[in-house]
Amino acid sequence: QQQVKQSPQSLIVQKGGISIINCAYENTAFDYFPWYQQFPGKGPALLIAIRPDVSEKKEGRFTISFNKSAKQFSLHIMDSQPGDSATYFCSPGGTGRRALTFGSGTRLQVQP
Amino acid sequence: DARVTQTPRHKVTEMGQEVTMRCQPILGHNTVFWYRQTMMQGLELLAYFRNRAPLDDSGMPKDRFSAEMPDATLATLKIQPSEPRDSAVYFCASGLVLRGSQETQYFGPGTRLLVL
């Protein structure tokens, strides 16, 4: 049973455009919703995270939108830059082993 | 600047050989994770420890893989015997878990393993 579904698998965006990546989850006990960013040859690193008590969080060009009723959260990258080209993972968290699941990843390519 | 360190960074070995990967978690973190990353399977959780005790290793092939935390500053992942299908990047991550809720995981640079 797949706990986390991430889409799209890959995304190509022009410089200055908006990148949107989605994550759907099943476990209603999750209470921590992070996005990780991974560059080639590096380990994933936390990009931005949100708690379920708010519906949106913005940090610079990165925004998380959270829809608790739909059990979905998304990452929006405004004014996408070539330096944003990376693989992005969602990893909703909570207690227990089921919390330790990463989405399948979205490979973002921002073209200059 | 606290970081998770992993050694070796790269390992090439022959099928049947033993492989040991080491991880030094960030000082003060109470949880350590081992992941395997491949193109086909993505990031898979192999095992995780809290306060040095193994909480879950159900993602790990028990017949050949073993994970331990001899002390709070060292976590090891061992494969014996190694097989070509074990070729992957192995990541260690550490985190501070409070009140039973998962928090941010800090990943090391990974060990790139190639089994010939």
Side-chain angles (χ1 to χ4, degrees):
Chain A
Q1 183 180 9
Q2 190 170 1
Q3 297 288 325
V4 177
K5 292 185 179 180
Q6 186 176 337
S7 62
Q9 188 173 6
S10 62
L11 183 61
I12 299 175
V13 174
Q14 296 296 315
K15 179 181 176 182
I18 302 174
S19 304
I20 302 175
I21 305 171
N22 301 298
C23 187
Y25 61 94
E26 297 177 1
N27 190 341
T28 56
F30 288 159
D31 60 0
Y32 179 63
F33 302 92
W35 285 97
Y36 287 82
Q37 180 188 54
Q38 184 180 26
F39 293 106
K42 305 291 186 181
L46 179 69
L47 179 64
I48 186 171
I50 197 170
R51 297 282 180 190
D53 53 343
V54 296
S55 61
E56 186 174 283
K57 180 178 181 179
K58 184 176 181 180
E59 290 183 355
R61 296 184 294 107
F62 301 93
T63 299
I64 289 183
S65 296
F66 177 65
N67 187 330
K68 186 175 183 179
S69 60
K71 293 188 287 185
Q72 294 181 347
F73 63 110
S74 59
L75 173 67
H76 296 237
I77 305 175
M78 311 300 288
D79 187 25
S80 299
Q81 300 296 312
D84 298 330
S85 297
T87 301
Y88 294 81
F89 296 93
C90 62
S91 180
T95 57
R97 186 194 188 282
R98 288 175 298 172
L100 298 172
T101 302
F102 279 77
S104 54
T106 296
R107 182 169 294 185
L108 171 65
Q109 182 180 348
V110 182
Q111 295 184 333
Chain B
D1 186 20
R3 297 183 184 185
V4 175
T5 58
Q6 290 185 247
T7 57
R9 293 294 311 277
H10 303 272
K11 177 73 175 178
V12 180
T13 190
E14 293 186 347
M15 182 174 62
Q17 296 297 306
E18 177 179 300
V19 175
T20 299
M21 291 169 270
R22 295 177 174 80
C23 167
Q24 182 173 3
I26 293 174
L27 188 65
H29 282 184
N30 61 358
T31 308
V32 171
F33 311 85
W34 282 106
Y35 290 91
R36 174 171 62 186
Q37 186 175 41
T38 61
M39 289 294 292
M40 294 300 296
Q41 299 297 326
L43 270 168
E44 301 175 275
L45 177 70
L46 297 175
Y48 79 99
F49 295 77
R50 185 166 302 155
N51 298 319
R52 294 179 55 202
L55 282 193
D56 192 338
D57 60 2
S58 59
M60 199 164 64
K62 300 290 192 307
D63 57 338
R64 299 184 299 109
F65 285 61
S66 61
E68 296 179 343
M69 279 202 74
D71 60 61
T73 65
L74 176 65
T76 62
L77 179 66
K78 188 176 295 185
I79 307 175
Q80 169 62 24
S82 59
E83 297 181 1
R85 60 179 168 155
D86 301 329
S87 298
V89 181
Y90 290 81
F91 287 105
C92 173
S94 71
L96 181 61
V97 175
L98 301 174
R99 301 182 304 277
S101 181
Q102 294 297 331
E103 299 290 338
T104 301
Q105 297 181 46
Y106 295 84
F107 283 78
T111 294
R112 188 174 296 271
L113 174 66
L114 177 61
V115 183
L116 302 174

